[in-house]
Amino acid sequence: MLQTFAFDGANGNSPEVGVIQAADGTFVGTTTLGGTISGGSNEFADGTVWTLNAGLPAPAPAIILLNSTSGSVGSTVLINGHNFIGTTAVRFNGVCASFQVLNTQFVSATVPAGATTGPIEVTNLGGTATSTQSFNVN
C-alpha cells in the first residue's frame, strides 16, 4: 500500500534529504520551513522534525566489524554495524553483557564474566544479528 505524507505548513514545509527509519520502524525527517510557533501565533516556525508511521517493522541490526576479536573479561569491545539504536541486548557467546549504544552504527560492550569464545550478538526490536567473526575470550 502506498503511503503519502502531505506537508501543510503546520507540520513542516520544504522537506530535507536524509530521511531515516527509526528503531521502531517509523520514518523520521526534517523540514527547513514550517512548524508552529507556541502561543497560538499564525506565523510559521523555521522547520520541523516529522515522523511517518508506514506500518513497517523495526529494522534488524547488522554487525559489520568488531574492533577487536579477542579480549579478557572486563575489556571493552566496539561493535560496528547498522540499526543499533533501540538495542535491547548484547551477548558474548550467549552470555549477556553490559553495553552502551553510541549511535546507530556503534555499540560499546564489556566482555562479561562467564563469557567464552564464540560469536557476539546484538538484539533490537527488529531481530538479532550475529557476528561472522568469533570473539576469543582470553
Side-chain angles (χ1 to χ4, degrees):
M1 177 167 99
L2 178 64
Q3 282 279 58
T4 60
F5 189 85
F7 293 98
D8 63 9
N11 69 348
N13 192 354
S14 299
E16 288 280 277
V17 296
V19 174
I20 62 166
Q21 188 177 19
D24 63 359
T26 59
F27 289 103
V28 180
T30 61
T31 66
T32 57
L33 301 172
T36 57
I37 296 175
S38 63
S41 171
N42 288 332
E43 297 178 38
F44 289 119
D46 292 328
T48 63
V49 175
W50 57 267
T51 62
L52 171 66
N53 185 346
L56 297 175
I63 297 173
I64 296 173
L65 183 67
L66 307 175
N67 78 323
S68 176
T69 56
S70 66
S72 58
V73 170
S75 63
T76 301
V77 178
L78 188 63
I79 305 165
N80 176 241
H82 297 290
N83 303 322
F84 289 154
I85 302 295
T87 294
T88 57
V90 174
R91 293 181 184 82
F92 284 72
N93 202 21
V95 178
C96 289
S98 61
F99 65 92
Q100 179 179 9
V101 177
L102 303 176
N103 57 42
T104 191
Q105 296 179 334
F106 291 98
V107 170
S108 175
T110 302
V111 180
T116 57
T117 296
I120 294 177
E121 295 178 334
V122 175
T123 301
N124 71 12
L125 293 175
T128 299
T130 303
S131 65
T132 58
Q133 300 167 297
S134 194
F135 185 83
N136 297 304
V137 179
N138 302 334

